[in-house]
Amino acid sequence: MVRVRFAPSPTGYLHLGNARTALFNYLFAKHNNGILVLRIEDTDAERSKKEYETAIMEDLKWFGVKWDEGPDTGGENGPYRQTERLGLYRQAAEKLLQEGKVYRCYCTREETEERNRRAGKNESAGYDNFCRDLSPQDLGRYEREGRKPVLRFRVPGKKVEVNDLVRGQVVFEPGSIPDFVIMKSDGLPTFHFAVVIDDCMMKITHVIRGEDHLSNTPKHIMLFEAMGFDIPGFAHMSMTLGRDKTRLSKRHGATSVRAYRDEGYLPEAFFNYIALLGWGTAESQDIFSPEELVREFSIERCNKSNAVFDPEKLLWMNGLYMRKTTPARILNLSLPYLKEAGIAGDGETEEKMHYLEKAVSLEQEKIKLLKDVPYHIGFFVKEPVYEEKAVSKYLTEKGKEVLGAILTSFEGCEEWSIHDLEARVRDFCEAKGYKAGEVFHPLRVALSGKTTGPGLFEMIEHLGRDKTLERLKKWSA
RNA sequence: GCCCCCAUCGACUAUUGGUUAGGUCACCACUCUUUCAAGGUGGCAGGAGGGGUUCGAAUCCCCUUGGGGGCGCCA
């Protein structure tokens, strides 16, 4: 049984790069009929916040990553928050201490750096094993000084091989990894230790994570070995970068899943686009349903090189999914934005909802973001926002004259159907010798405030007789 | 400073020893059209550099360069 995990730290909103890691874990799990575990790595008491934990779970669910075991679902391998597992880590650490595989270290960071400096090494050269074999006297002296020790792992002097599912065999030579801390002086485990204990106890078979952890993996493997645990498979995914090929950060604009959700991206578009970052099929297919992705996904086809996140392609893909979905769904999802714009309120009548839905369907092919829906359909409900350039170009003296004449014609229109309306306008043009554009453009601007929009006669029909005549009167000479 | 990873159009990628190096986004042109989109057609554009191996290299090896990551009592 394949068991994988996604293990975020609740220190901020879900980041795009982490979202991709979560997605790949999910796809791998589902492809293999396995289990996805959500584990909250909240041992950093300073930065971890409960609200972020909630937000991360919401955002994962939003774009379609569902886990089988996690803090909210419970499960036999829990608890799923590291702060609720502290006893487990202490127990394991105690055992390692008994076995002499870890030792107490009393050095401060400053002391270590100072010694490194004096030894002519780089400050960040790593720990110098100062406390590795402290005499009982030294130990006692430090304790009497009131120093609180950390527990350091006694790194064996042999090479470590990582057999990575995407990178192949990666070898770390002896001496390249200094003795590292597994338990902090406050009694909390470090990331490296907690991860290994948890992955083992949660029966994780494959560790799929970002490449930023590749250099840490030998530490984890040594810990697995020291504790006699089975070593899981590892797969280190390439990183997600910004346009300038540096790590995705605020400089690149929105980097959280939440931000994209708020802008009005469709979850399936986000899901699809993110899956394409660092993974592809032999056919270079671009559009996948979630089911297809689950079926097609494989670790072997994951790219080794980093991928640049391209908001433009995401936007294009979102437009594509907008066109694929139903107007009713777009309407429902854009309700918050419509409310904010004063176009729809709570508990609208069925009639109004139908009216809005039709308006959405007329504009659907142009909608790229849910956030933009009010801009596109607002004039159907509220007084148009007249764009200055449109008015000065088309609602000229001559334009107003034309509108006045059209008004007369429309007033006599009883059926108010696309056909009737169009016939009237075309007859009018012919009778008065106007070119189509001389009439169409002023009409559109007077009714919608914009030079762009749906088909003119569909628009007039849907706008209705009253609003049409009223707006024409306003702009007639 | 030490260690690790990576390298195909501007971006995402396909091509795993023999291809006019393919697709998608973006961009440009044309087309459709009452507008804007969407659609259709076409175009621009790529193997980082240098050495090998081979009849033949984007593909295998080495070096250089460039980019990314790690070396915390952060995760």
Side-chain angles (χ1 to χ4, degrees):
Chain A
M1 170 67 105
V2 163
R3 291 176 58 87
V4 297
R5 47 44 164 212
F6 175 61
S9 299
T11 55
Y13 287 117
L14 183 62
H15 189 269
L16 286 174
N18 289 334
R20 194 189 57 152
T21 303
L23 177 58
F24 284 13
N25 270 286
Y26 170 77
L27 293 174
F28 182 75
K30 296 302 115 181
H31 181 85
N32 293 293
N33 293 314
I35 297 292
L36 173 61
V37 176
L38 177 68
R39 183 171 73 222
I40 303 297
E41 307 210 327
D42 55 354
T43 54
D44 184 344
E46 295 273 301
R47 297 191 300 148
S48 294
K49 290 214 171 71
K50 187 81 185 176
E51 58 183 285
Y52 288 131
E53 178 186 316
T54 312
I56 287 169
M57 293 204 280
E58 278 173 9
D59 293 342
L60 285 169
K61 280 183 195 154
W62 170 73
F63 81 97
V65 169
K66 292 162 288 219
W67 53 95
D68 305 285
E69 295 175 26
D72 57 338
T73 66
E76 51 188 87
N77 303 289
Y80 296 94
R81 268 182 213 98
Q82 290 188 327
T83 48
E84 294 167 12
R85 304 173 61 78
L86 300 178
L88 266 15
Y89 309 130
R90 284 183 194 134
Q91 237 176 296
E94 186 55 37
K95 182 157 179 274
L96 287 175
L97 188 61
Q98 298 302 323
E99 296 169 346
K101 289 172 178 164
V102 302
Y103 58 92
R104 290 193 177 89
C105 167
Y106 296 86
C107 301
T108 63
R109 182 170 185 171
E110 290 71 30
E111 288 168 343
T112 305
E113 281 177 2
E114 178 58 26
R115 284 197 303 269
N116 278 339
R117 243 194 319 269
R118 260 186 280 155
K121 287 189 287 188
N122 192 279
E123 264 185 28
S124 53
Y127 189 61
D128 60 355
N129 298 353
F130 187 82
C131 293
R132 232 188 201 216
D133 298 294
L134 247 30
S135 66
Q137 289 88 333
D138 289 332
L139 231 81
R141 194 181 75 242
Y142 286 130
E143 287 291 340
R144 261 175 274 120
E145 283 176 17
R147 294 194 184 215
K148 290 265 177 276
V150 300
L151 258 28
R152 256 182 216 281
F153 184 68
R154 201 182 289 273
V155 171
K158 55 171 194 171
K159 71 174 181 180
V160 184
E161 290 173 6
V162 180
N163 291 305
D164 196 276
L165 262 17
V166 341
R167 276 148 223 286
Q169 191 176 68
V170 182
V171 180
F172 293 82
E173 297 300 329
S176 62
I177 296 148
D179 287 3
F180 55 93
V181 176
I182 66 154
M183 289 294 276
K184 303 184 258 186
S185 55
D186 61 4
L188 293 176
T190 61
F191 159 75
H192 302 299
F193 192 53
V195 151
V196 169
I197 301 292
D198 291 345
D199 285 343
C200 171
M201 296 188 75
M202 294 179 180
K203 306 183 177 72
I204 300 304
T205 58
H206 302 263
V207 173
I208 304 170
R209 71 218 317 188
E211 197 212 279
D212 48 345
H213 289 301
L214 183 56
S215 297
N216 289 144
T217 304
K219 293 177 188 166
H220 303 165
I221 288 177
M222 290 186 288
L223 285 171
F224 275 109
E225 282 174 345
M227 290 184 286
F229 296 159
D230 287 339
I231 297 169
F234 289 99
H236 289 92
M237 319 307 299
S238 61
M239 302 271 83
T240 307
L241 309 178
R243 272 215 100 72
D244 55 359
K245 301 217 176 200
T246 63
R247 213 169 198 188
L248 207 50
S249 73
K250 287 181 192 71
R251 285 182 300 117
H252 301 104
T255 55
S256 67
V257 173
R258 172 91 22 147
Y260 285 89
R261 180 183 167 184
D262 288 346
E263 288 241 329
Y265 284 84
L266 256 15
E268 66 269 32
F270 189 83
F271 190 94
N272 190 157
Y273 176 74
I274 293 295
L276 259 30
L277 247 31
W279 175 85
T281 59
E283 299 77 25
S284 264
Q285 187 180 332
D286 284 289
I287 304 305
F288 294 88
S289 68
E291 299 71 37
E292 276 180 299
L293 242 13
V294 166
R295 197 172 59 236
E296 299 289 328
F297 184 80
S298 78
I299 289 283
E300 293 72 42
R301 289 202 67 92
C302 284
N303 248 283
K304 289 197 274 257
S305 49
N306 295 342
V308 173
F309 173 77
D310 181 7
E312 274 185 307
K313 188 160 181 177
L314 206 209
L315 188 63
W316 162 78
M317 196 173 278
N318 203 54
L320 186 123
Y321 278 99
M322 283 288 182
R323 278 168 250 135
K324 278 166 88 118
T325 194
T326 63
R329 177 162 174 253
I330 296 177
L331 210 216
N332 276 322
L333 293 175
S334 62
L335 244 26
Y337 308 101
L338 291 167
K339 279 178 193 159
E340 203 186 320
I343 290 164
D346 286 307
E348 294 288 359
T349 61
E350 207 174 306
E351 198 187 349
K352 170 126 183 223
M353 290 302 277
H354 273 117
Y355 182 77
L356 290 172
E357 187 182 327
K358 179 75 192 294
V360 167
S361 77
L362 292 179
E363 296 279 44
Q364 186 169 6
E365 66 206 4
K366 275 188 278 298
I367 298 170
K368 284 222 157 78
L369 294 171
L370 294 168
K371 201 180 169 184
D372 298 337
V373 171
Y375 167 79
H376 285 111
I377 70 166
F379 72 89
F380 280 111
V381 175
K382 301 208 316 184
E383 182 65 14
V385 177
Y386 287 94
E387 288 173 6
E388 206 179 304
K389 264 161 78 181
V391 171
S392 60
K393 184 164 182 193
Y394 293 112
L395 299 180
T396 55
E397 286 313 307
K398 187 173 166 226
K400 288 177 183 174
E401 255 171 58
V402 171
L403 293 176
I406 282 282
L407 173 62
T408 314
S409 169
F410 279 7
E411 277 168 336
C413 178
E414 271 150 36
E415 249 191 76
W416 208 262
S417 66
I418 293 179
H419 283 95
D420 201 359
L421 292 161
E422 181 160 6
R424 277 168 191 275
V425 173
R426 296 221 184 258
D427 288 349
F428 171 83
C429 289
E430 203 170 321
K432 304 272 170 126
Y434 286 122
K435 279 184 273 181
E438 292 177 290
V439 177
F440 284 56
H441 292 302
L443 244 182
R444 175 183 297 285
V445 174
L447 298 179
S448 72
K450 299 181 291 182
T451 54
T452 65
L456 184 59
F457 302 103
E458 290 162 292
M459 181 180 106
I460 299 173
E461 185 197 47
H462 190 59
L463 188 60
R465 188 189 176 101
D466 293 350
K467 273 178 258 178
T468 303
L469 296 183
E470 181 193 316
R471 288 174 198 177
L472 284 181
K473 268 178 202 143
K474 178 177 168 188
W475 293 99
S476 294

